[in-house]
Amino acid sequence: MSSSQRQRRRVRRLALPAAMLLLVGGAVTIQSTAPAAAAETTLRAAAAKAGLFFGTASSPNRLYPILAQEFGQLTPENDMKPDRIATSSGGLQNTSGADQLVNHAQSNNMVVRGHTLVWHSQAGALQGASQSTLNTFIGNAINRWGSKIAYWDVVNESLEDNNTGRRRNQWPHTMNRDANGDGDYFDAGDTDVIRDSFIRAKQVVQAGGYSTKLCINDYDVEGLTVKGGGPNRKANALYDIVRTYRQYIDCVGFQSHFNDNPNSIISDDLQANIQRFADLGVEVHLSEVDIDDDLSNNDIGAGQAENYRKVVRACLNVAKCTGITVWGISDSESWRSSERGLLFTGGNGNYQKKSAYYAVLDELNKGRGTTTPPPTTTPPPTTPPPTTPPPTTPPPTTPPPTTPPPTTPPPTTPPPATGCTATVSLNSWTGGFVATVRVTAGSSPISGWNVQLTLPSGAAVTSVWNANRTGTSGSVQFSNVNYNGSVNAGQYTEFGFQGTGAASGLTPVCTAS
Ligand code: XIL
């Protein structure tokens, strides 16, 4: 880009926030005179009311009063990374910055998200370490802070760039071995750094009796699709990992560094993707949010404040989306300062709220599920989306279960007499769709199910979760997998699939066994 182009963009940018501020100011006035004047005035309070945390990344030299006033959660931006605290044998060193952040969070009732245990980058003395050394470090780090850390990023950025859907071809993932050559690292004989690190972390949490939840975190995994409408293969690969290791993984972080990279845009199916992971039973966090304010090509939407609204709304509309963390307070102090992607300007604790701040506050104040979710076609869901806040009970202290927990609430509609019924809800975009199929048992329990449906011509299935499949187009059959065949009388389970083309008027036929 030439310097004159940059200059023109800059002029447009300068003009816009002022206009937006006026608009937002108006909205705030209207709200304060409305009966529901109980609108909260900080991000922290508004989020808490909606049943999620709103946090930020921070460092020991940025513990300004505004931090605990506006944010209910803190992620150490750099102070808990291995290059800061790990020795080459997996011991701990230099933990004073991390300790200071944890103590600050504790005295201000802020949730801490530990970041991060296993990562190819900022590995410091651990670079090239064996799994056994990584395990030693995992144990030392988790034990140092115990339940003071509510969520730990156990594995960070384990998937390849550029929407390839593969694992990284970099240490520590180069330690992976595909014993039977079937193209994945999921088999018992395989060596998998992700699995083995989570198993170790889970053991440490259980042995210590901590309430800490264990997360996997990555970027460019936010949408079901990438720019142009193709499937987000990186998100699908992450989905497979979480589904396969569900007994060890409690939470998933979508980093949410949104910009106009084709794989980093804010797509309309963000909510559907959050929902898909939530349906596995894990909590979802938008863990490192910043949104490029470059409006020059509209790749990521109409404007930063609106983009923030959209992202926050997508999380609010999914009950198990339990937290949003922005990656810093102020643009000038951001790792990507040139994108001006955060909610405040200014520096050194003297921060000014941007339009995006007011948009986020307003959206949080609306609470969960108050706006229409992405378009769905007939038949509508038989139960309203859950609105209860996330469970706060600590994870079990018994050994991890061997099957994923099938926990879906009973439907509110009367169950069919016998056998099973199935309903489909669709989330469509130009050239593709995601279908969520709900299988409801009749008045007797079932131990297996089969769903047949006929796709319109031109439509084809590209991926499936929580079901086996026969066929990709025309008449397609889905059957239960080993952990979701048994459904109690009147209860339901769900599976999903993604496809290309257009799918409408699907009429599923359910047969129980
Ligand atoms: C970044 C920090 O913000 C920078 O200060 C540091 O120089 C590099 O790392 N994904 C992550 C974060 O998981 O740890 C990164 O943080 C940003 C991308």
Side-chain angles (χ1 to χ4, degrees):
M1 180 175 24
S2 73
S3 63
S4 62
Q5 274 174 315
R6 271 187 203 284
Q7 190 58 34
R8 278 199 300 279
R9 282 185 187 185
R10 182 141 194 87
V11 170
R12 280 203 300 272
R13 277 189 207 122
L14 287 174
L16 196 62
M20 283 180 137
L21 215 54
L22 277 177
L23 270 175
V24 170
V28 168
T29 310
I30 289 162
Q31 234 180 25
S32 64
T33 56
E40 299 293 341
T41 55
T42 64
L43 302 171
R44 173 180 187 154
K49 212 179 206 178
L52 74 166
F53 65 72
F54 197 94
T56 189
S58 193
S59 306
N61 61 344
R62 294 198 180 134
L63 299 179
Y64 305 110
I66 192 175
L67 178 72
Q69 284 158 12
E70 287 288 349
F71 301 96
Q73 180 270 335
L74 186 157
T75 305
E77 184 168 355
N78 288 300
D79 286 85
M80 264 180 205
K81 291 175 178 172
D83 66 349
R84 196 61 64 86
I85 63 166
T87 69
S88 58
S89 55
L92 298 183
Q93 61 180 355
N94 303 332
T95 53
S96 59
D99 289 337
Q100 208 181 327
L101 291 170
V102 171
N103 292 341
H104 187 82
Q106 286 244 293
S107 30
N108 289 284
N109 293 317
M110 301 168 84
V111 171
V112 180
R113 198 167 197 282
H115 179 78
T116 178
L117 296 171
V118 177
W119 189 20
H120 72 277
S121 180
Q122 293 184 272
L126 278 186
Q127 184 72 45
S130 65
Q131 182 71 53
S132 146
T133 303
L134 289 176
N135 286 351
T136 303
F137 174 64
I138 289 168
N140 284 325
I142 292 178
N143 280 324
R144 179 167 186 89
W145 294 286
S147 299
K148 291 179 184 172
I149 293 192
Y151 302 96
W152 254 117
D153 280 332
V154 177
V155 178
N156 193 33
E157 301 187 348
S158 55
L159 290 158
E160 202 66 81
D161 274 342
N162 299 323
N163 196 26
T164 57
R166 287 184 287 113
R167 306 280 175 89
R168 271 180 196 278
N169 192 21
Q170 258 169 309
W171 176 89
H173 307 285
T174 41
M175 293 195 282
N176 289 351
R177 296 285 172 266
D178 177 11
N180 63 3
D182 68 351
D184 67 45
Y185 302 110
F186 297 150
D187 307 304
D190 293 348
T191 308
D192 183 354
V193 170
I194 298 176
R195 175 193 61 196
D196 296 343
S197 301
F198 269 98
I199 288 175
R200 168 66 177 156
K202 198 64 163 182
Q203 281 166 347
V204 177
V205 164
Q206 289 178 344
Y210 308 134
S211 52
T212 313
K213 294 183 180 174
L214 304 174
C215 309
I216 187 165
N217 197 48
D218 220 314
Y219 62 94
D220 288 358
V221 295
E222 291 78 15
L224 283 171
T225 53
V226 295
K227 190 178 174 193
N232 186 346
R233 296 169 60 199
K234 192 167 171 178
N236 291 346
L238 181 66
Y239 183 87
D240 284 343
I241 290 167
V242 175
R243 183 179 47 178
T244 307
Y245 303 143
R246 171 64 190 94
Q247 64 264 48
Y248 315 116
I249 300 180
D250 306 308
C251 37
V252 176
F254 292 1
Q255 288 188 6
S256 308
H257 296 293
F258 291 113
N259 54 53
D260 54 19
N261 175 309
N263 304 320
S264 314
I265 60 164
I266 301 169
S267 55
D268 288 337
D269 47 38
L270 170 63
Q271 183 182 324
N273 197 33
I274 296 172
Q275 184 69 59
R276 164 170 82 138
F277 280 83
D279 288 346
L280 291 176
V282 291
E283 292 181 42
V284 182
H285 301 149
L286 306 184
S287 56
E288 304 183 10
V289 182
D290 44 37
I291 304 181
D292 188 351
D293 85 343
D294 183 350
L295 309 180
S296 59
N297 54 18
N298 279 336
D299 272 346
I300 59 168
Q304 190 180 53
E306 284 312 305
N307 282 332
Y308 259 105
R309 254 184 212 283
K310 199 168 159 182
V311 168
V312 169
R313 176 48 49 200
C315 177
L316 283 167
N317 281 355
V318 179
K320 282 189 88 75
C321 188
T322 54
I324 301 175
T325 306
V326 283
W327 205 241
I329 299 182
S330 164
D331 288 346
S332 66
E333 295 168 354
S334 160
W335 75 308
R336 286 184 167 168
S337 54
S338 63
E339 293 185 355
R340 295 161 304 277
L342 296 174
L343 303 178
F344 293 81
T345 56
N348 303 319
N350 180 14
Y351 303 127
Q352 291 83 48
K353 295 167 180 170
K354 295 167 58 179
S355 308
Y357 169 94
Y358 292 105
V360 170
L361 182 64
D362 183 45
E363 211 57 46
L364 290 171
N365 268 318
K366 289 181 197 162
R368 292 197 182 266
T370 50
T371 49
T372 327
T376 53
T377 58
T378 53
T382 51
T383 50
T387 52
T388 47
T392 52
T393 47
T397 53
T398 48
T402 49
T403 52
T407 50
T408 41
T412 54
T413 47
T418 55
C420 59
T421 53
T423 54
V424 185
S425 51
L426 277 181
N427 192 335
S428 301
W429 59 92
T430 311
F433 62 92
V434 162
T436 303
V437 184
R438 177 173 293 190
V439 175
T440 305
S443 53
S444 310
I446 58 174
S447 56
W449 46 262
N450 188 289
V451 171
Q452 184 278 335
L453 47 79
T454 304
L455 291 175
S457 103
V461 179
T462 51
S463 65
V464 184
W465 48 96
N466 296 341
N468 295 310
R469 170 182 54 104
T470 312
T472 50
S473 57
S475 176
V476 186
Q477 306 266 351
F478 300 89
S479 59
N480 62 274
V481 285
N482 60 0
Y483 55 83
N484 65 4
S486 295
V487 185
N488 282 336
Q491 300 216 324
Y492 65 83
T493 187
E494 289 185 339
F495 70 93
F497 60 96
Q498 183 169 341
T500 51
S504 56
L506 297 178
T507 317
V509 179
C510 191
T511 322
S513 55

